[in-house]
Amino acid sequence: MAESFIGRLRVGLERTRDILNADVEDLVRGRRPLKPEDLDKIEEGLIAADLGLPATRQAMEVLRAKSAEIWTGGVEAMRSLLRDEIRSILTRPTGVVPFATKPWVVFVVGVNGVGKTTTIGKLAAAWKAEGRTTLVCAADTFRAAAAEQLEIWAQRTGAPFHRGAEGADPASVLTDAVRIARSRGYDAVLVDTAGRLHTKGNLMAELGKMARVAGREVPGAPHETLLVLDATVGSNGLAQGREFARAAGVTGLVLTKLDGTAKGGIAVAVVRELGVPIRYVGVGEDVQDLVPFDAAAFAEGLIGS
C-alpha cells in the first residue's frame, strides 16, 4: 500500500485513534499486569469508537488472555495485539474478480446523504486512471437533482453518462445503459440508485427488479452491489447495513467521511456483522481520496504504530 494512502488514512482516523489511545500509555507504562479496572477503560474506549459490542468483546478476550505479553511488552505489545485482532476481523475475501465480465455492472446503494454520488464519481475517475471506460448510469429517477449532480461528476471525470426522464422506470433506464455499454465496448457500468430509506420495502423490491433486469442483459449482473455507509453516523450504519444486505445482496461496502468522525471503529462492527468486505474508504473531499481498502493499513491507522 502506497505511503500516501497510509498517510491519508492515518489523518482520517486521527480522531478515532485519539479515543482508543486515551489512557493506554499510562496503563501500561508501569509494566504491570492489567487490573480489571484497566481493562474496563480500554473496553470503554473501543465502545466509544463504535467498534460494536461483539467485536469489542472479541478484542477484550484477546487482551485478557495475553495480559502477560502486555505486562512485559508495554504500549507496543498492546497496540500490536489490538492491530492484529482488528486486521483479522476486517480481512474478508471479496468473492469476485473485478472486471471479469464486460461490461462489469456495479450497483451503488445507500440512503440519501451518505455520499453515493461522490463515490460513483471518484470510482469512475479511479477506473479511468487504470485505463478503463465506465458508463455512469443515473437510475435514481425520483429525486429531481440526483441526475444533475451525477452528470456534473461524470463531466468532471470525463465518464460517459446516461440518464432517463424524471420519474422514468429505473429498470428501463438501467436496461438502456447496459445495452449502450455493451454495444460500445465499455468496461463497466456504475449504477446510481435512489437513496432508499432502509425501512421502505417497496423501494427495496424495486432494487430487486433492477437486479433481475441487469442479469438478463449481462450474465451475473449486478456483479457487485456496493453499500455506501457514512462513517459519521456510527452504529446507525449497522441498521442500514442489515436491511440492505438482506434486500439487495450487498457484496461490498464503501465507508465515506472517515476523515470527519471519531467513530471509525464502525468499520469493524459492520464487517463483523455483515460478513462482507470493505472495498473502498473515503478519507477526504478530493477525487483521489476514495481509496481501495486495506485491512492492515486500516488497523494501523486506527490503533497507531
Side-chain angles (χ1 to χ4, degrees):
M1 185 62 61
E3 183 63 34
S4 60
F5 164 76
I6 295 176
R8 290 204 300 275
L9 191 60
R10 286 183 63 84
V11 171
L13 288 167
E14 184 174 4
R15 294 176 64 193
T16 307
R17 191 165 58 250
D18 287 345
I19 285 180
L20 294 181
N21 286 338
D23 296 325
V24 169
E25 294 195 18
D26 288 339
L27 290 177
V28 298
R29 187 177 287 125
R31 299 288 176 90
R32 58 172 171 76
L34 292 179
K35 298 177 181 179
E37 57 267 30
D38 297 334
L39 291 170
D40 287 345
K41 288 184 179 180
I42 298 168
E43 188 170 13
E44 288 169 7
L46 295 174
I47 292 172
D50 259 359
L51 211 72
L53 286 176
T56 296
R57 289 174 182 145
Q58 185 174 334
M60 294 309 299
E61 286 175 7
V62 172
L63 293 184
R64 289 188 177 96
K66 299 188 176 182
S67 60
E69 291 183 27
I70 299 171
W71 183 17
T72 57
V75 175
E76 179 48 41
M78 174 175 284
R79 286 183 177 152
S80 179
L81 287 169
L82 283 174
R83 280 198 306 270
D84 289 348
E85 191 62 26
I86 288 171
R87 183 179 67 244
S88 175
I89 293 172
L90 289 172
T91 300
R92 292 285 190 276
T94 62
V96 297
V97 179
F99 307 106
T101 299
K102 190 172 181 176
W104 186 253
V105 181
V106 178
F107 284 8
V108 183
V109 304
V111 299
N112 286 330
V114 295
K116 283 198 286 64
T117 302
T118 301
T119 294
I120 290 170
K122 291 178 178 180
L123 274 177
W127 292 350
K128 182 180 181 180
E130 295 174 2
R132 305 186 191 278
T133 51
T134 302
L135 176 65
V136 173
C137 172
D140 179 357
T141 60
F142 298 102
R143 193 163 58 91
E148 285 79 2
Q149 292 170 349
L150 194 63
E151 187 170 16
I152 290 170
W153 269 102
Q155 290 171 349
R156 284 179 61 184
T157 59
F161 176 76
H162 178 75
R163 64 179 294 181
E166 186 176 335
D169 178 12
S172 175
V173 176
L174 171 62
T175 298
D176 291 341
V178 172
R179 289 176 179 174
I180 290 169
R182 192 174 56 213
S183 68
R184 297 180 183 176
Y186 294 155
D187 295 299
V189 181
L190 271 172
V191 185
D192 185 25
T193 62
R196 292 165 169 77
L197 293 172
H198 54 279
T199 53
K200 300 243 179 128
N202 60 324
L203 294 177
M204 288 298 189
E206 184 191 87
L207 192 58
K209 176 184 176 183
M210 291 174 63
R212 291 190 296 274
V213 165
R216 286 198 295 267
E217 295 296 325
V218 181
H223 305 105
E224 289 191 79
T225 299
L226 299 178
L227 170 62
V228 182
L229 295 173
D230 178 347
T232 65
V233 304
S235 56
N236 287 339
L238 269 176
Q240 297 174 18
R242 289 188 198 104
E243 294 301 322
F244 274 105
R246 183 159 51 239
V250 170
T251 61
L253 307 171
V254 180
L255 199 63
T256 64
K257 308 179 188 179
L258 203 61
D259 55 317
T261 182
K263 296 181 176 292
I266 189 60
V268 182
V270 172
V271 169
R272 196 184 189 285
E273 170 84 14
L274 302 182
V276 296
I278 297 174
R279 296 281 281 110
Y280 301 92
V281 290
V283 293
E285 294 298 321
D286 293 337
V287 169
Q288 70 270 20
D289 287 336
L290 184 77
V291 290
F293 182 74
D294 179 275
F298 187 94
E300 180 182 335
L302 193 68
I303 301 300
S305 55

